[in-house]
Amino acid sequence: SETAFPYSNKLKASEIYAVEEVEDPAYRSEDGIVFSADGHTLIRYPVGKEDRSYTVPAAVTEIAASAFRDITYGDYRFPDFYGALEELTLPSNLKTVGERAFYQRGNMRVVQFNNDRSNVEWTVGDYAFYDTLLSQFPFEKNLVKIGAYAFSGGYTINHPTLPGDLVLYEKIESIGESAFSSAGCFTSVKIPASLKSIGSAAFSSAGLQEVTFEAGSSLSAIPDSLFGYADITSIDLPDGIASIGD
């Protein structure tokens, strides 16, 4: 885990390039990366690995919590990142991206699925892509749940790069608190009718100028600061909205 060698003077996380051998039968190592014994869960991708692109094996259905988590150095407002990974290709049957799985992977730009993406629905955990600088992400590819702060933080390090129009999966059910806060890069978003819950400040400081709610929306409340600091001039709320937060 990321706490396996806390404050060690002999071994820094940034210097771990591969895990060549795993003695515990519950795990195995492949190309220096740790997986569960059955290969269905990617446990840990070493921070010091120098590859700029990586294709997650087809057998993987879960990327574990903190699996690709990076570490930073330098000014906390404009940090530098150790991890070299820039492009990630996900397997067709992926179901789960765990909490903080790509936390502060600041050099990542592209996350995509391979060409044979199935209809499997998947979820992204809390802080999963916090402080990443993505220019491409498959939000529309069967993503049904986005955790709290999952894509937050990009604006705070002054590199908003995601495309202007946020296209969500038509059957998305949940977006967590501050999921896109301070992303600073989206100009428009269409909220699908399937969305049942959305957390406070989910799109705060995200750069939005236009918001559309799909007809038949399932939402009954607008939480606090949902579109805080946005440049929206007008918005038509769904008929079922019973309360609006601050």
Side-chain angles (χ1 to χ4, degrees), residues 80-159:
D80 292 307
F81 304 91
Y82 284 107
L85 190 64
E86 296 178 358
E87 181 175 317
L88 183 77
T89 301
L90 302 173
S92 61
N93 291 312
L94 183 70
K95 296 180 180 178
T96 306
V97 175
E99 294 183 6
R100 291 178 168 82
F102 296 88
Y103 187 86
Q104 293 190 322
R105 265 284 171 179
N107 289 320
M108 280 190 62
R109 299 293 182 269
V110 175
V111 176
Q112 60 192 359
F113 277 104
N114 57 24
N115 292 330
D116 62 343
R117 174 62 178 162
S118 68
N119 291 322
V120 173
E121 294 180 337
W122 60 302
T123 64
V124 168
D126 296 350
Y127 293 90
F129 291 90
Y130 183 88
D131 261 1
T132 54
L133 311 181
L134 300 172
S135 61
Q136 179 180 330
F137 191 89
F139 293 107
E140 75 284 4
K141 301 290 187 180
N142 305 334
L143 180 56
V144 294
K145 180 180 179 181
I146 297 174
Y149 294 89
F151 296 93
S152 179
Y155 185 79
T156 63
I157 52 177
N158 203 33
H159 289 287

Side-chain angles (χ1 to χ4, degrees), residues 144-199:
V144 294
K145 180 180 179 181
I146 297 174
Y149 294 89
F151 296 93
S152 179
Y155 185 79
T156 63
I157 52 177
N158 203 33
H159 289 287
T161 54
L162 275 165
D165 298 328
L166 174 57
V167 180
L168 297 170
Y169 176 46
E170 61 182 10
K171 295 182 181 179
I172 190 169
E173 298 176 355
S174 174
I175 297 176
E177 173 188 357
S178 297
F180 295 97
S181 64
S182 297
C185 50
F186 299 116
T187 56
S188 70
V189 61
K190 182 176 183 179
I191 308 296
S194 61
L195 189 69
K196 298 176 181 177
S197 66
I198 188 166

Side-chain angles (χ1 to χ4, degrees), residues 11 19 38 49-50 56-57 61 85 90 100 125 129 131 148-149 151 170 176 198 218 229 233 239:
L11 182 62
V19 180
D38 61 10
K49 200 169 177 61
E50 296 179 339
V56 180
T61 59
L85 190 64
L90 302 173
R100 291 178 168 82
F129 291 90
D131 261 1
Y149 294 89
F151 296 93
E170 61 182 10
I198 188 166
S218 302
Y229 305 101
T233 56
D239 293 337

Side-chain angles (χ1 to χ4, degrees), residues 15-49:
E15 296 172 350
I16 300 176
Y17 295 91
V19 180
E20 299 294 351
E21 185 175 339
V22 181
E23 295 182 358
D24 191 325
Y27 308 98
R28 63 182 176 87
S29 175
E30 180 180 312
D31 192 27
I33 302 163
V34 181
F35 298 86
S36 58
D38 61 10
H40 294 326
T41 303
L42 192 157
I43 304 292
R44 187 60 172 153
Y45 183 101
V47 171
K49 200 169 177 61

